[in-house]
Amino acid sequence: DVIYHLAALPRIQPSFEYPALTLEIGMLGTMNILEWARNKNCKVIYSGSSSVHSGHYKNPYTFSKVMGDELCMGYKRMFDVDVKVCRFYNVYGPYQLTEGEYCTVIGIFKKQYDEGVELTITGDGFQRRDFTHVDDIVEGLILTSQSENFDIDWVELGRGENFSINQLSEMFGCGFTYIPARPGEARETLCDVSIAKNDIGYEPKINLPDYIKGITNE
């Protein structure tokens, strides 16, 4: 009845090393899903990315998500495929990766905190992120899939509040050090959740500081 298309080669930094593979998976993979849905008359919920707001050519990952968005809208306009794009904002929560090149900053910080070593902050730490708990993302995906409004194209799924990486490190209450900035990163992400609230009844519930307290009080 519904395809939740969550597959991608994720993360910005690895996409500089594997640009062709990132684009192939993001674009060709999405086209294959949409073509299947066109033939089966199936609804598609596509996992977009908030990174598209920071510049389409900042990195190969973002470009692949932009092209995925465009493919979705193309199939919707040309073939009446019922597809909606849900753009995620800096997802965190249980089962997040804590090692390897596909880690998110909260996964990295959690691992460093657990090991009793200094947290590593890239750049000046004043870059801000709208961190969104995976439970809120899942709730948003389900609400989007249940919507019968064909005119909805994009749904922004974030918390609607952002924190600097310096503020995030302070929540852990341990030492930190600065390392060089990385290319292709946005300076700020912040979701306007008002449209999602009005269109699908989305209401994010989980606060980042409460989640970090759960980690540091374990």
Side-chain angles (χ1 to χ4, degrees):
D1 298 317
V2 181
I3 298 172
Y4 294 95
H5 176 21
L6 309 176
L9 194 63
R11 307 288 172 254
I12 289 170
Q13 297 310 312
S15 74
F16 283 109
E17 186 174 356
Y18 314 111
L21 185 59
T22 299
L23 293 168
E24 179 183 355
I25 291 173
M27 297 166 62
L28 183 59
T30 299
M31 185 188 71
N32 290 337
I33 292 289
L34 292 167
E35 184 65 12
W36 193 92
R38 179 179 74 87
N39 290 317
K40 300 293 185 180
N41 194 29
C42 180
K43 180 182 289 189
V44 178
I45 308 299
Y46 171 71
S47 59
S49 171
S50 63
S51 66
V52 304
H53 299 305
S54 301
H56 293 183
Y57 309 113
K58 246 180 161 20
N59 56 76
Y61 169 72
T62 295
F63 186 72
S64 76
K65 300 309 286 187
V66 170
M67 292 297 99
D69 286 2
E70 291 298 317
L71 282 166
C72 287
M73 292 304 103
Y75 268 75
K76 183 171 187 174
R77 301 293 190 271
M78 293 183 289
F79 305 116
D80 291 326
V81 174
D82 189 355
V83 55
K84 296 177 176 65
V85 175
C86 287
R87 292 182 177 140
F88 300 171
Y89 283 71
N90 302 94
V91 186
Y92 70 92
Y95 308 109
Q96 63 195 341
L97 295 176
T98 57
E99 56 186 338
E101 60 184 345
Y102 295 103
C103 288
T104 58
V105 62
I106 294 180
I108 293 170
F109 280 7
K110 181 182 187 306
K111 183 175 188 290
Q112 292 171 335
Y113 177 85
D114 291 341
E115 293 176 347
V117 300
E118 287 188 329
L119 309 183
T120 52
I121 299 174
T122 60
D124 60 15
F126 288 108
Q127 59 270 37
R128 303 182 71 86
R129 296 289 181 268
D130 188 332
F131 295 102
T132 313
H133 194 277
V134 65
D135 288 359
D136 287 328
I137 292 290
V138 171
E139 179 69 13
L141 287 169
I142 293 170
L143 288 169
T144 303
S145 72
Q146 292 173 342
S147 171
E148 297 301 323
N149 186 348
F150 186 81
D151 293 331
I152 295 174
D153 292 333
W154 295 280
V155 179
E156 306 279 335
L157 297 181
R159 171 68 188 169
E161 178 182 20
N162 61 15
F163 296 91
S164 73
I165 305 304
N166 287 327
Q167 289 175 316
L168 173 63
S169 69
E170 290 168 1
M171 295 178 197
F172 282 86
C174 61
F176 58 86
T177 187
Y178 292 97
I179 60 176
R182 302 183 301 184
E185 301 279 353
R187 193 62 182 169
E188 179 176 11
T189 64
L190 178 61
C191 181
D192 178 0
V193 300
S194 62
I195 296 176
K197 287 181 178 180
N198 292 333
D199 286 349
I200 63 170
Y202 173 69
E203 191 73 51
K205 299 179 178 64
I206 300 177
N207 287 313
L208 177 65
D210 293 337
Y211 176 82
I212 303 301
K213 284 178 184 177
I215 293 175
T216 57
N217 291 334
E218 288 178 351

